[in-house]
Amino acid sequence: MPSIKQLQVTFDCAEPERVARFWCEVLGYVVPPPPEGFATWEDFDRSLPPEEQGSWFACVDPSGVGPRLFFQRVPEGKVVKNRLHLDVRAGTGLVGEERLATLEAECERLVALGAVRVRLLLADDDNESCIVMQDIEGNEFCLD
């Protein structure tokens, strides 16, 4: 039987710390402590060569269950649809109007953090409702 592997999700972005802190708020994740010998992440960042400062940031599930999220600065901007799509499970187990109300409330919270609502996909014969959104750098995800 193959062993289970740990997973890290990596985001290419322009502003790693800003995007990481956004996703911390979305998912309830936290910023891990800075490396040993540094009181803060800012202290650590200042210790790097200028071209590496602000080049990456990370956040983790405080319960240790979910994957680590890693954000790395890249020179190019997002030009097409993401090839990886995250579904934020805000309405798991809910159906109908109760699900829709829960998704709308979460959408409102995330818009206040800088997310963009793209469109509502209403339930059909095969799928429950979901809301397509974009994070603060335009990466698409769904509230599901």
Side-chain angles (χ1 to χ4, degrees):
M1 179 169 167
S3 64
I4 303 297
K5 307 293 189 273
Q6 294 296 312
L7 174 70
Q8 171 175 284
V9 177
T10 299
F11 289 71
D12 289 347
C13 52
E15 297 179 70
E17 183 173 352
R18 179 174 173 251
V19 180
R21 291 188 183 280
F22 169 82
W23 282 100
C24 281
E25 292 295 324
V26 172
L27 300 173
Y29 271 40
V30 297
V31 175
E36 192 171 319
F38 296 94
T40 66
W41 278 105
E42 293 80 16
D43 292 342
F44 172 75
D45 200 47
R46 282 192 296 273
S47 75
L48 299 173
E51 66 275 7
E52 292 180 27
Q53 292 178 7
S55 64
W56 63 271
F57 211 76
C59 60
V60 296
D61 175 350
S63 70
V65 175
R68 178 179 190 255
L69 303 182
F70 183 77
F71 302 83
Q72 62 185 1
R73 185 174 57 217
V74 296
E76 68 278 355
K78 180 181 175 294
V79 292
V80 295
K81 188 176 191 284
N82 357 331
R83 298 202 47 175
L84 174 70
H85 183 96
L86 301 179
D87 291 329
V88 177
R89 308 303 304 268
T92 301
L94 302 176
V95 296
E97 291 302 316
E98 182 182 17
R99 178 184 177 87
L100 197 51
T102 299
L103 296 178
E104 291 290 357
E106 183 64 0
C107 177
E108 192 173 306
R109 182 180 81 85
L110 299 184
V111 166
L113 295 172
V116 174
R117 179 189 179 118
V118 176
R119 68 184 167 281
L120 169 65
L121 300 173
L122 290 172
D124 58 25
D125 291 336
D126 297 318
N127 301 295
E128 283 297 329
S129 297
C130 69
I131 300 175
V132 180
M133 302 194 68
Q134 291 178 341
D135 75 6
I136 58 176
E137 285 199 1
N139 297 302
E140 193 172 281
F141 67 98
C142 282
L143 291 179
D144 181 15

